[in-house]
Amino acid sequence: MRRALIVFAALLVTAACGGTQPAAPGQQASGGMSKVNAGVIAIVDTAPIHLGKAKGFFTEQKIDLTITSVPGGAASISGAVSGQFQFAFANTTSLLTAKQQGLDVKVVANGVSSTGQQGKDFSAVLVKPDSPIKTAKDLAGKKISVNQLKNIGDTTVRASVRNAGGDPTGIEFVELPFPDAPAALQSGQVDAIWVVEPFVSQAISQGARPVAWNFADAAPNLTVAMYFTTSRTDADLTSRFTAAMRKSLEYADEHPDEVREVLKTYTKIAPEVIAKINLPKWPVEVNKASVQTVADLALADGVLKEKIDVSALVP
Amino acid sequence: MTRLLYGLAGLGGLLALLEAVPRLGLVDERFLPPASLILSTLGAQLAAPQLWIALGETMGGWALGLAMAFCAAVVAGVVIGIVPGLRALTNSTIEFLRPIPSVALVPLATLLFGPSLGSTLMLVVYAAFWQVLIQVLYGVAAVDAVAYDTARSYGLSAWSRVRHLVWPTALPYVMTGLRLAAAVAFILAVTAELVIGSPGLGAEIQVAQSSGAVPTVYALIVVAGVVGIAVNAAVRLLERRVLAWHPAVRSEVAA
């Protein structure tokens, strides 16, 4: 009996002492490889970095890349600012907001872009099949779910309504995670939902009807998200990461079949859904004009407090 | 034997209910898949290494956090319990800190450690520490005053008193604390992974959720439930062995 306790205590202490600290980030490891930890959300948008890692594009640049899944943009920004990640992925509005708050962030590569095509984008506003809402204009004054308030969702949905000739000021946005939105739409808690893939395809296959393609509406070839770093990361490593990332983006854009394959490795999206989702675009260059448009729209809607010069964020 | 049968029948009933509710259309099948689909998804998950790696990470964080909390709480509890005046001095602080829910530390953990083991440990240690500490304090307070004075007057050293009097008295309380802490630690480990994204079972659930893979979400929840039961059973077993000499346990065995 006493021995059992001693053995248990010994086990616990061993566990306590055996916890190894992760290697200090960003340092030169053996063989001249730089260890890099990137904070990335496990969604369709981030397929290029996973594909690029699998293809060895980062090893080519002497980067030993670890991809850490984060639950959202807030986690990737706080992780990068606190030094846990050397590079991370966040959407355009989150980065603009971070910049406005005086956080030390700067963009190093494009992340993901809208296809710009109505009906073939990875982001849409959906309504129930029998809903009286027929067009984006009818969304005025309705209750619409977004995954995060005061972010890229509400900004671009307002743009859709405005473009269609409606008045976006009366829209009531409610915060609902993407996975919960289809159920809320069906039970009538909201009039419309904004979701991205794979939820767009899922909802449509279950009968929901798209009424607006908000990313395509907001700006031509909208840059939706970007990879960024902080001023702590040294310039040489940054340029190597950028090079690897550009190659990964280009490769992903040209090989949609391989993108669908890599999605099976880091997401749990059902294979039959993967086969039919609308993939986003992965251009190599950030569309700075579209980022400026988002900044201006966010300012007009009061999401941002003052005008932001996008060149300060995107060099 | 009949208890086991009843238990199995109860579980079978639950499964039948989970199968029937979505099949009959009482709940939308998209949001609650039938039990058979959940279990077959679980089977596929069990065959893949990813689940086992995640489970290992969760259990590692759990064990490490529990060990740190347990050691710290036992030492702190005994010291506070036997040093005169210390109990009164620390009481208000303990009563202030103890009710703070560990999940309220999520933003702080995210900021300090991000999605890593550190966040898990922070939440687990905070939650488990108080569970053990309070029990240790009760245990030390339960030491018979006459026995304690007798030990003193016979000139037993402070260490001997702790070793031969305080510790055996407190041990049943300590084990209760450990049992409570083990369960709470597991809950917090999964919560940290789910909310902050620290690697482990919870993070797998989060990824499945953001992938819209509903059956996988439920399958992983089942795994978490089974592990929770296993954790509780293991600590109960340990408790029974460590306290085999204690009347409370002896009578339990006899019954």
Side-chain angles (χ1 to χ4, degrees):
Chain A
M1 48 146 191
R2 188 176 299 156
R3 218 175 52 208
L5 186 66
I6 291 169
V7 169
F8 179 68
L11 275 177
L12 285 179
V13 171
T14 321
C17 302
T20 46
Q21 285 293 313
Q27 283 177 351
Q28 291 286 317
S30 56
M33 296 284 279
S34 311
K35 277 196 165 301
V36 161
N37 190 1
V40 171
I41 313 168
I43 49 174
V44 179
D45 310 22
T46 56
I49 193 170
H50 289 92
L51 192 56
K53 186 187 174 184
K55 286 280 160 193
F57 298 161
F58 289 90
T59 319
E60 275 172 18
Q61 295 291 340
K62 297 200 174 303
I63 290 174
D64 177 9
L65 178 68
T66 304
I67 300 174
T68 302
S69 285
V70 293
S76 58
I77 289 175
S78 64
V81 170
S82 71
Q84 204 204 348
F85 306 129
Q86 290 75 54
F87 301 95
F89 176 94
N91 82 46
T92 301
T93 305
S94 298
L95 284 169
L96 289 167
T97 311
K99 195 77 201 170
Q100 175 138 78
Q101 287 167 348
L103 295 177
D104 169 24
V105 291
K106 79 170 189 265
V107 169
V108 297
N110 192 24
V112 66
S113 304
S114 155
T115 65
Q117 290 177 290
Q118 299 288 329
K120 282 196 184 135
D121 205 3
F122 70 106
S123 158
V125 182
L126 301 149
V127 296
K128 274 167 108 167
D130 54 353
S131 166
I133 301 169
K134 300 292 176 203
T135 66
K137 190 180 177 188
D138 303 331
L139 290 169
K142 294 291 191 291
K143 196 170 177 181
I144 306 175
S145 80
V146 293
N147 73 325
Q148 202 184 345
L149 292 173
K150 292 188 184 289
N151 209 295
I152 196 159
D154 46 9
T155 300
T156 52
V157 171
R158 282 197 194 96
S160 283
V161 176
R162 208 176 281 130
N163 288 359
D167 172 17
T169 47
I171 298 175
E172 184 192 348
F173 287 104
V174 291
E175 199 164 290
L176 265 179
F178 291 137
D180 300 341
L185 179 67
Q186 198 182 28
S187 67
Q189 291 173 46
V190 289
D191 303 310
I193 55 171
W194 167 59
V195 287
V196 296
E197 292 287 15
F199 300 103
V200 176
S201 294
Q202 266 181 6
I204 290 176
S205 72
Q206 290 157 357
R209 181 161 49 84
V211 291
W213 299 86
N214 53 321
F215 283 177
D217 288 340
N221 307 315
L222 171 73
T223 291
V224 176
M226 293 167 275
Y227 291 88
F228 66 97
T229 189
T230 63
S231 59
R232 262 196 308 257
T233 314
D234 78 79
D236 175 55
L237 179 60
T238 302
S239 69
R240 282 186 285 143
F241 180 87
T242 304
M245 209 52 242
R246 290 173 75 100
K247 197 166 175 182
S248 305
L249 291 164
E250 195 173 6
Y251 190 86
D253 213 37
E254 287 167 1
H255 298 86
D257 293 340
E258 290 187 46
V259 165
R260 291 184 203 268
E261 279 306 308
V262 85
L263 283 177
K264 292 173 189 166
T265 63
Y266 71 94
T267 74
K268 293 182 190 294
I269 305 174
E272 63 271 20
V273 179
I274 287 182
K276 68 181 172 205
I277 53 175
N278 294 326
L279 291 180
K281 293 295 285 177
W282 287 291
V284 169
E285 299 295 340
V286 172
N287 178 355
K288 280 171 80 170
S290 76
V291 177
Q292 188 68 59
T293 305
V294 171
D296 296 344
L297 288 171
L299 180 66
D301 294 333
V303 172
L304 291 175
K305 304 261 176 316
E306 56 205 68
K307 191 165 172 65
I308 289 191
D309 178 13
V310 166
S311 351
L313 178 69
V314 190
Chain B
M1 197 58 214
T2 45
R3 253 186 79 184
L4 186 70
L5 280 178
Y6 274 117
L8 287 177
L11 199 60
L14 178 68
L15 285 176
L17 187 72
L18 273 178
E19 183 73 27
V21 166
R23 293 256 185 242
L24 294 173
L26 297 174
V27 176
D28 195 318
E29 206 170 311
R30 283 178 283 156
F31 309 132
L32 177 65
S36 55
L37 181 58
I38 295 174
L39 291 179
S40 66
T41 309
L42 177 62
Q45 291 284 320
L46 291 176
Q50 210 181 352
L51 173 67
W52 297 100
I53 295 169
L55 200 54
E57 281 163 337
T58 301
M59 296 320 286
W62 169 80
L64 190 56
L66 185 60
M68 289 161 69
F70 182 77
C71 297
V74 167
V75 172
V78 170
V79 170
I80 292 172
I82 60 173
V83 175
L86 215 49
R87 182 75 227 261
L89 194 69
T90 54
N91 192 39
S92 56
T93 312
I94 291 173
E95 290 307 317
F96 172 69
L97 292 176
R98 187 167 71 105
I100 297 175
S102 214
V103 282
L105 303 180
V106 163
L108 187 61
T110 311
L111 211 60
L112 288 178
F113 301 105
S116 69
L117 181 64
S119 293
T120 308
L121 289 180
M122 183 171 162
L123 298 199
V124 167
V125 170
Y126 192 86
F129 177 80
W130 303 111
Q131 300 283 348
V132 179
L133 180 72
I134 296 298
Q135 291 299 324
V136 175
L137 288 177
Y138 281 135
V140 175
V143 172
D144 187 62
V146 177
Y148 197 78
D149 289 341
T150 311
R152 275 173 81 112
S153 58
Y154 275 94
L156 261 69
S157 69
W159 170 248
S160 296
R161 271 176 283 155
V162 169
R163 173 74 190 75
H164 297 290
L165 187 64
V166 175
W167 183 244
T169 310
L171 197 53
Y173 294 86
V174 173
M175 292 312 294
T176 304
L178 181 65
R179 182 156 49 80
L180 295 173
V184 168
F186 180 68
I187 294 169
L188 265 301
V190 175
T191 305
E193 292 158 6
L194 190 61
V195 181
I196 307 173
S198 324
L201 200 54
E204 292 290 303
I205 295 176
Q206 195 269 320
V207 170
Q209 194 197 12
S210 59
S211 298
V214 179
T216 310
V217 172
Y218 284 101
L220 293 172
I221 291 171
V222 171
V223 173
V226 171
V227 173
I229 293 170
V231 162
N232 198 36
V235 182
R236 271 185 186 282
L237 194 70
L238 178 82
E239 185 176 21
R240 215 167 292 161
R241 295 205 55 182
V242 171
L243 297 176
W245 51 273
H246 197 272
V249 172
R250 280 193 357 227
S251 61
E252 193 180 298
V253 173

